[in-house]
Amino acid sequence: MADALKQGLSVLLAPQRGLVLCALISAALLGGALLFEHVGGMAPCSLCIWQRWAHVAVIVCALGWLVISQPIGASLRAGLIITALAGITSVGVAGYHAGVEWQLWAGPAGCTASLSSGGSTADLVDSLLATPVVRCDDVPWSLFGLSMAGWNMLLSVDIVALAMMSFIFGDRNRTRTS
């Protein structure tokens, strides 16, 4: 029974499939973000843009490794590690953004409203004018209590988990062809 399960996982989580699935998840998240922006009319903040770049990195790492691994004879398992590292970057940026939204820590300067009542009226006006239209600490959309950044973080964790499971359980005998 254990051998059958291990064999099934080995085929299901083959390195090539893992890389393709990681790229597809990131592409779906990136596509969703673009739909929210261009169809839903939700302009992204600067941290949202950073999250998009992290997904571009996952896609480039996963698909790029698939393309270059055959000619250079590299193991697809190495590509899974590189893709997992890009996924960890996505988890970090999305987690940071979610923390900013939940007021757990301050966001980058110029991305959040840091209005204090201790200054003069002129200082308050200057601070308001310097605050971007789309703030990083606002949550324009949420589902089941999680913002887009929160969902992005959870799905980015899935990308990392998928890459690592493909690395661990994938068919090690067919790393260049599977």
Side-chain angles (χ1 to χ4, degrees):
M1 178 75 166
D3 287 339
L5 180 61
K6 190 173 181 181
Q7 178 75 17
L9 281 174
S10 177
V11 171
L12 180 66
L13 297 172
Q16 184 177 26
R17 284 191 187 104
L19 289 169
V20 169
L21 287 173
C22 288
L24 285 175
I25 294 169
S26 271
L29 288 170
L30 191 55
L34 292 171
L35 280 173
F36 271 103
E37 178 182 357
H38 297 289
V39 176
M42 292 183 199
C45 69
S46 60
L47 288 176
C48 293
I49 300 295
W50 294 1
Q51 290 174 81
R52 292 177 186 188
W53 281 111
H55 285 295
V56 168
V58 169
I59 294 166
V60 167
C61 289
L63 296 181
W65 200 266
L66 281 172
V67 169
I68 68 165
S69 66
Q70 287 287 42
I72 66 171
S75 168
L76 290 176
R77 295 178 76 227
L80 288 166
I81 296 294
I82 292 169
T83 301
L85 292 173
I88 289 169
T89 302
S90 182
V91 170
V93 173
Y96 175 69
H97 190 185
V100 169
E101 291 175 340
W102 295 329
Q103 316 297 310
L104 297 176
W105 44 75
C111 191
T112 56
S114 56
L115 305 175
S116 62
S117 59
S120 68
T121 306
D123 291 339
L124 180 62
V125 170
D126 289 342
S127 181
L128 280 171
L129 292 174
T131 302
V133 176
V134 181
R135 294 183 2 218
C136 297
D137 57 354
D138 268 348
V139 179
W141 179 91
S142 67
L143 178 66
F144 306 122
L146 280 179
S147 66
M148 286 186 270
W151 283 107
N152 187 9
M153 184 181 75
L154 286 178
L155 291 166
S156 295
V157 167
D158 291 342
I159 291 169
V160 174
L162 177 62
M164 295 315 300
M165 287 173 51
S166 293
F167 179 83
I168 294 167
F169 297 112
D171 186 357
R172 295 178 182 152
N173 298 327
R174 302 181 330 170
T175 55
R176 292 199 298 164
T177 60
S178 59

